[in-house]
Amino acid sequence: MQLKTLFDEKAVRERIKQMAKEIESYYKDKTESLNAICVLKGSVHFFSELVLNIGMDVNYSFVHVSSYAGTESTGRIRVKSWVDETLQGKYVLVVEDIVDTGNTLRYILSYLKKYKPADLKIAALIEKQKYQHGIPIDFVGFKVKDVFLVGYGLDFEEKYRNLPYIGYIE
Ligand code: IMP
Ligand code: MG
């Protein structure tokens, strides 16, 4: 199995910094504080780099859900941990590593909406263009075709998460 680089570390970090600025300007006139939700495990590095670059008051929440086995989404979402604070009336930003079928995000959003946040937005580092997932992603880092990616938090069977760049398996 060979790993090829798709986005090197510099490109990833620069794009995330730009996203942070886009996010800041969206919230600027709306609120002073933001509730960012990190979707574990894959979003750990994206979340960290993103919030470090958002110049406003950011509250952190973490949810841990999974749907993948190998390189295919199983479509069955397992919730391993969930937010324990109320998000009612809050400005909520869901931070997801990658959107593929959209099943994971659809599931998360349907439950978060029940809290009646003032505003609910999505930032995804990568959007795959394989499926018509139909979820409008408010802030997208990179769009890719149908490739299986690893690194910068993304895994293949729990491996490669700590690669500092985004690569693909040939
Ligand atoms: P979805 O539910 O099909 O949209 O898949 C979303 C989740 O599957 C992401 O949050 C990732 O954790 C995982 N995933 C999807 N595509 C990839 C990939 O190319 N590499 C690694 N993980 C992926
Ligand atoms: Mg994920």
Side-chain angles (χ1 to χ4, degrees), residues 23 26-27 30-31 33-39 61 63 82-83 85-96 104-124 135-139:
I23 288 167
Y26 170 75
Y27 288 107
K30 298 181 182 69
T31 178
S33 72
L34 177 63
N35 282 65
I37 300 183
C38 174
V39 184
S61 298
V63 300
W82 194 248
V83 284
E85 47 276 305
T86 177
L87 297 171
Q88 190 176 358
K90 299 282 165 62
Y91 284 78
V92 176
L93 178 68
V94 179
V95 180
E96 173 68 304
T104 308
L105 209 45
R106 205 172 316 133
Y107 182 92
I108 291 173
L109 293 173
S110 71
Y111 282 91
L112 291 180
K113 278 178 191 152
K114 296 186 203 284
Y115 292 98
K116 301 210 181 334
D119 186 63
L120 183 57
K121 290 284 175 282
I122 304 158
I135 304 171
I137 313 292
D138 305 283
F139 307 98

Side-chain angles (χ1 to χ4, degrees), residues 1 149-151 153-163:
M1 200 151 57
L149 303 176
V150 293
L154 298 166
D155 73 305
F156 172 63
E157 295 180 345
E158 295 301 325
K159 246 184 106 180
Y160 308 118
R161 286 198 200 275
N162 65 326
L163 293 176

Side-chain angles (χ1 to χ4, degrees), residues 68 73 96-98 100-104 128 147-149 155:
Y68 256 61
S73 173
E96 173 68 304
D97 50 358
I98 184 164
D100 184 16
T101 62
N103 289 333
T104 308
K128 273 197 206 174
V147 279
F148 192 80
L149 303 176
D155 73 305

